[in-house]
Amino acid sequence: MTKARKRVVALISGRGSNLAALIEAAKEPAYPAEIVGVVSNVADAQGLEAARQQGFDTRAVTKADHSGREALDAATDEAIREMGADIVVMAGYMRLIGSGFAEKWAGRMINIHPSILPLFKGLDTHARALEAGMRVHGCSVHFVTAEMDGGPVIAQAVVPVLPDDDAERLSRRVLRAEHRLYPHALRLVAEGRARMEAGRTVYSGVAEGERDLLISPATERLPEAADLESLARFTP
Ligand code: GRF
C-alpha cells in the first residue's frame, strides 16, 4: 500500500522560486508531499499569481484586511486549515508570526533561510556574509518557532564565497542551493525522518551518505586526508 502524500500549504510574499522548486519536486509520484495551496500576505505576489495560473488553490491574507499581527495570524491559520494542510512551508514569507501561531504548527511548519544558521538571522544575509569575510555561505531549512530564524535546523547546504562575489552574485549561487535543499528537507519532514522533539531535530532512517569536504578558496589540489593511524604516531 502506498502511503498518502502529506498535504502542504506554502506561505510566500514574493517571487516564489522556492515554491516552484517544491512544486517541481512534488511532480514525482513517489515524492511524499503535494502542494495543495498557496497563501500570501502580498496580494499581487509574483509567486501567488504563478501558482494561481497553474491551478493551485491560492489566497491573499493581507495586513490591509486584517489589522494587527494576531488577527493576520488567525486569518492565515484559518486559510491553511481550510486547505487541509498537514505541513506548512514558508518560502520567502516576509513577515514575523506570533508565538501562538508558531506553537499551533510546532513541528509541522518549516522555513528556508539564506544563511548557515545560526549565523546571519534576518535580512541582507548575503551582504553581511561578504562583509564578515566568510569564505563559505549557504542556506538552512529549519522548524519554525516563535524566535525568528531560530528554530532547530533540519538541513543545510553550503556554497563557496568566490573572490569576485558581490551580494547579487552570491545570492544567485545560494538560491540554486536553496532549490535543491528545500525539496530534500521537506521530504525528510514529510516522511517523518526529521522531527522536532524538545526543541531539537531528531532523525531516523537518514543515511550517512558520502562525507564531502568543502574548502574555499579551493587549492589546485586539496590535501589528502591523513589516516588516523599515522596521525596517532605523532601523538605524545
Ligand atoms: C529566499 O532566498 C529565501 O531563502 C528567503 O527569501 C527568498 C525567497 O525567494 N527567505 P523566492 O520567493 O523563493 O524566490
Side-chain angles (χ1 to χ4, degrees), residues 14-19 91-92 94 112-114 175 178:
R15 176 178 58 186
S17 70
N18 276 289
L19 167 63
M94 306 303 282
I112 188 156
H113 180 74
L175 193 63
E178 292 183 43

Side-chain angles (χ1 to χ4, degrees), residues 14 31 51 59 131 134 174 176 179 188 191 193 215:
Y31 193 75
R59 312 257 178 103
E131 176 62 28
M134 297 291 293
V174 171
R176 283 196 296 275
H179 297 160
L188 292 179
E191 291 178 346
R193 290 193 288 150
I215 295 181

